[in-house]
């Protein structure tokens, strides 16, 4: 058992900062040795804020530092494949943000390198660690709703990322709906066999997405290898909240996940009853981001396979790639290689 896992965070944008903060301040057994980002001044700024001793603009610094055990990759999706391979070849244990890679072909190569180098890689599907989703998983596995028959996922986020991000994001099915594809496999404990998807641009302010063959609203109909079906509604439109919900309907009941509430307070006036609504992903998933990082560090300490592996990352990517093809062609698309399991 390794006492302290020496880590580096690569990429300090929207999410990288949160992972760095957790590793620097909240994850027992982790030491954040360095933070790295190619944007001038960013790494130094984050290092000073979080009290981290080292920083760099050169991503390769972490790979060639023998004292670093693990890297946390939170860079743009298009960079994941190369960075994972480089990290693995240098013997670093890896946490990578979703999606595993942008292209499916790269996912196979990445998995092969990870196997050759005997390195583990956890993929950042944090919903698996969210207390509500994780409780739902336990209840479904315990048979509380009978045999799962139907999955419903809703992800609506009105905080549209900047255009440069959309340009390289791989589109709404790969960037956003992929969370629901992963949690659908995880909760149903079944692989997805086919998808049929569609989408549109609902808001004029999102019209720029057309340039990238992207939309602000997508719908995916899923079929599973155990006979179940499901749907995933994905929107970059939500003028009221960061709205993430899930439901699994079984032969003996249904389990619903997500209430959108920040605090359990109702304000009652003559006009009616109101309560707050969560507005962004760091608030909704702050526990999940911390819990997934705690699990990652523990898996490195114990030398164990993490809960959400690169094989799971590839499975979700296959579904997202098929959903994108289906959206572009208007046809139902089979999900070809049922992904050598590892659902839990
Ligand atoms: N799990 C989640 O809920 C979740 C949420 C948001 C983002 N993400 C994922 O995290 C990753 C980063 O997303 P983000 O929203 O933080 O992006 P971002 O654009 O806010 O930040 C990316 C950072 O990486 C740096 N960078 C740019 N090019 C780089 C390169 N070639 N090599 C290394 N670093 C580079 C940038 O300077 C920037 O600071 C993406 O893969 C995204 O899909 C996951």
């Amino acid at each position: 058992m390794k006492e302290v896992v020496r880590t580096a965070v690569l990429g300090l944008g929207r999410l990288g900062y949160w992972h760095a903060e957790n590793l620097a301040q909240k994850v027992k057994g982790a030491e954040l040795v360095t933070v790295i980002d190619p944007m001038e001044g960013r790494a130094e700024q984050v290092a000073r804020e979080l009290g981290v001793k080292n920083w760099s603009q050169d991503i390769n610094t972490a790979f060639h530092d023998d004292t670093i055990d693990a890297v946390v990759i939170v860079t743009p999706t298009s960079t994941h494949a190369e960075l994972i391979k480089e990290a693995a070849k240098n013997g670093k244990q890896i946490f990578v943000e979703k999606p595993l890679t942008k292209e499916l072909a790269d996912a196979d190569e990445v998995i092969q390198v990870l196997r050759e180098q005997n390195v583990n890689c956890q993929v950042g599907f944090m919903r698996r660690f969210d207390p509500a989703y994780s409780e739902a998983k336990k209840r479904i596995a315990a048979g509380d709703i009978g045999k799962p028959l139907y999955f419903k996922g809703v992800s609506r986020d009105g905080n549209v990322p900047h255009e440069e991000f959309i340009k390289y994001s791989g589109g709404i099915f790969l960037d956003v709906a992929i969370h629901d594809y992963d949690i659908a496999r995880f909760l149903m404990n079944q692989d997805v066999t086919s998808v049929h998807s569609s989408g549109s641009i609902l808001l004029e302010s999102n019209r720029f997405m057309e340039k990238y063959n992207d939309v602000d609203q997508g719908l995916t109909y899923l079929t599973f290898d155990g006979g179940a079906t499901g749907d995933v509604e994905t929107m970059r439109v939500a003028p009221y909240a960061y709205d993430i919900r899930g439901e699994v309907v079984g032969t003996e009941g249904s389990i619903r996940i997500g209430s959108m509430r920040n605090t359990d307070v109702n304000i009652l006036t003559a006009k009616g009853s109101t309560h707050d609504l969560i507005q962004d992903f760091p608030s909704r998933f702050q526990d999940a981001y911390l819990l997934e990082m705690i699990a990652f560090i523990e898996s490195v300490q114990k030398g164990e396979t993490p809960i959400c592996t690169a094989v799971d990352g590839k499975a979700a990517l296959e579904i997202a790639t098929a959903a994108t093809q289906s959206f572009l062609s208007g046809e139902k698309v089979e999900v070809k290689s049922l992904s050598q399991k590892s659902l839990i």
Side-chain angles (χ1 to χ4, degrees), residues 11-16 37-39 59 74-77 79-80 97-99 124 126 162 165 175 179 281 289:
L12 301 163
R14 284 193 308 168
L15 191 54
D37 194 290
M39 191 197 293
I59 289 288
V74 205
T75 55
T77 298
T79 66
H80 290 181
E97 258 313 324
K98 50 56 64 176
M126 77 296 179
H162 50 88
F165 182 89
D175 185 46
H179 279 293
F281 71 85
Y289 292 129

Side-chain angles (χ1 to χ4, degrees), residues 139-140 142-150 247-255:
R139 296 300 195 102
I140 294 166
D144 288 6
I145 57 159
K147 183 176 185 270
L149 298 174
Y150 197 85
E247 182 172 7
V248 176
V249 183
T251 49
E252 285 163 43
S254 172
I255 188 155

Side-chain angles (χ1 to χ4, degrees), residues 95-222:
F95 175 98
V96 66
E97 258 313 324
K98 50 56 64 176
L100 176 68
T101 61
K102 195 167 173 188
E103 307 297 334
L104 202 45
D106 288 337
D108 283 326
E109 206 186 321
V110 157
I111 289 173
Q112 196 188 330
V113 173
L114 289 166
R115 284 190 180 137
E116 282 164 10
Q117 303 296 327
N118 200 19
V119 161
N120 284 317
C121 175
Q122 179 173 328
V123 181
F125 286 122
M126 77 296 179
R127 287 190 198 180
R128 290 180 178 225
F129 298 87
D130 173 71
Y133 280 101
S134 137
E135 178 67 13
K137 169 79 179 172
K138 280 187 213 139
R139 296 300 195 102
I140 294 166
D144 288 6
I145 57 159
K147 183 176 185 270
L149 298 174
Y150 197 85
F151 170 83
K152 198 163 189 60
V154 173
S155 294
R156 297 185 197 151
D157 183 359
N159 304 294
V160 181
H162 50 88
E163 183 165 348
E164 269 308 280
F165 182 89
I166 293 284
K167 184 173 173 182
Y168 296 109
S169 70
I172 198 166
F173 301 98
L174 181 68
D175 185 46
V176 188
I178 198 163
H179 279 293
D180 286 290
Y181 305 147
D182 177 68
I183 208 72
R185 293 180 68 243
F186 183 62
L187 292 178
M188 305 294 281
N189 202 28
Q190 297 176 36
D191 257 314
V192 169
T193 50
S194 75
V195 297
H196 201 161
S197 53
S198 57
S200 356
I201 295 182
L202 300 181
L203 284 184
E204 268 319 298
S205 53
N206 290 335
R207 188 62 56 197
F208 72 92
M209 292 177 182
E210 252 169 11
K211 279 188 266 178
Y212 313 111
N213 263 336
D214 204 358
V215 285
D216 62 12
Q217 178 267 321
L219 186 67
T220 317
Y221 185 74
L222 309 167

